[in-house]
Amino acid sequence: MHHRPLKKARPEAATGANRKTGLVFVISAPSGAGKSTLCRAIRDSFPDLQYSISFTTRPPRHGEQNGVDYHFITIPEFEEGIQTDQWAEWARVHGNYYGTSAGFIDCSLAAGRDIVLDIDIEGTRQILKRHPDSITIFVMPPSMEVLRQRLETRGTDSSEVIAVRLKNADNEIAQKDLYRHVIINDRLPQAVAELTAIFEKYRL
Ligand code: ADP
Ligand code: 5GP
């Protein structure tokens, strides 16, 4: 009798106490949908989650700290990282470079830490190639009009920057089916509850 070979389970696929490597959570959203607000809200609930701090060539916004919100680096530094394979993924988003340190991800996962990546869709595609079991979450605004209002109310970006981000949002929302979970951030407490439930489901 011919037996099909048993598929070997990938370590990332395991859940619960017996798993050895960490899980990769990826969160994406059109700019202004409320991803940072949601992530801030769940940080306290899951203090052992490791947030990857991305590298970017974008100038810091008022109040942003180097090494906390992002590692702010120059364009030559970023491009050297591309040459030397430092990035687990990288993309040009809204005209700036953004990237995730491969060393950080590999060390955290090997140490059994679960990590959260806040990256765009292009980056998500690259991470899914390296880590196919990543738990991907897309945060949507309730409407484009609300998205525009939130970007204006946040007050961190010029009207030109807001226009670029709104234009990109349409394109990003059209690709949301890449993600395993989609959350609509209409009322914040409900969106926080939905995100919390996703983390609990996989981390139990
Ligand atoms: P992102 O990180 O996705 O770019 P932010 O978290 O900075 O977005 O949110 C954009 C703006 O919208 C902020 O001013 C934030 O306070 C506000 N905001 C976020 N979520 C909600 C919500 N559910 N209802 C109303 N305003 C929100
Ligand atoms: P912001 O400039 O508003 O902080 O981020 C703009 C966009 O860049 C967001 O969609 C955010 O998810 C994305 N981003 C932030 N860090 C990274 C990263 O390391 N890689 C990729 N691919 N996108 C990132």
Side-chain angles (χ1 to χ4, degrees):
M1 208 167 91
H2 182 73
H3 289 283
R4 238 192 305 166
L6 277 177
K7 215 174 154 197
K8 217 170 154 195
R10 267 193 297 265
E12 293 99 317
T15 52
N18 63 343
R19 83 180 142 80
K20 300 227 170 27
T21 59
L23 300 171
V24 180
F25 290 91
V26 177
I27 306 189
S28 303
S31 179
K35 187 178 34 159
S36 311
T37 307
L38 281 170
C39 286
R40 228 175 289 129
I42 61 156
R43 260 176 204 237
D44 293 343
S45 313
F46 302 100
D48 56 328
L49 274 176
Q50 288 267 93
Y51 290 83
S52 162
I53 301 172
S54 295
F55 290 72
T56 186
T57 60
R58 161 167 86 58
R61 291 185 188 129
H62 184 71
E64 280 184 333
Q65 280 177 272
N66 191 23
V68 177
D69 301 286
Y70 281 102
H71 299 287
F72 295 100
I73 61 172
T74 63
I75 294 173
E77 282 170 333
F78 197 98
E79 289 176 341
E80 196 193 322
I82 299 174
Q83 303 303 325
T84 54
D85 254 353
Q86 270 183 46
W87 312 127
E89 61 73 33
W90 67 271
R92 281 195 85 124
V93 192
H94 316 310
N96 298 300
Y97 281 123
Y98 293 83
T100 303
S101 157
F104 169 83
I105 295 205
D106 295 345
C107 288
S108 300
L109 294 180
R113 305 287 304 264
D114 295 345
I115 56 173
V116 181
L117 307 183
D118 165 351
I119 60 177
D120 84 323
I121 295 182
E122 186 48 44
T124 305
R125 288 191 199 281
Q126 296 170 42
I127 288 295
L128 281 169
K129 287 200 188 121
R130 288 171 85 105
H131 303 283
D133 296 311
S134 298
I135 299 129
T136 53
I137 304 159
F138 190 82
V139 178
M140 292 259 293
S143 68
M144 289 301 281
E145 181 50 28
V146 170
L147 185 63
R148 191 180 58 75
Q149 282 165 10
R150 284 186 188 166
L151 283 169
E152 283 171 0
T153 309
R154 185 167 71 183
T156 52
D157 301 292
S158 66
S159 55
E160 291 80 18
V161 168
I162 289 179
V164 172
R165 286 171 183 243
L166 283 174
K167 197 162 151 256
N168 290 346
D170 268 333
N171 176 38
E172 288 162 343
I173 290 170
Q175 299 177 68
K176 69 176 190 310
D177 290 348
L178 175 70
Y179 291 79
R180 222 192 277 190
H181 299 278
V182 176
I183 292 177
I184 298 173
N185 179 21
D186 187 356
R187 285 188 50 254
L188 187 62
Q190 188 183 337
V192 170
E194 284 177 30
L195 191 57
T196 304
I198 293 170
F199 278 101
E200 280 172 348
K201 174 177 163 186
Y202 293 97
R203 301 191 82 218
L204 268 182

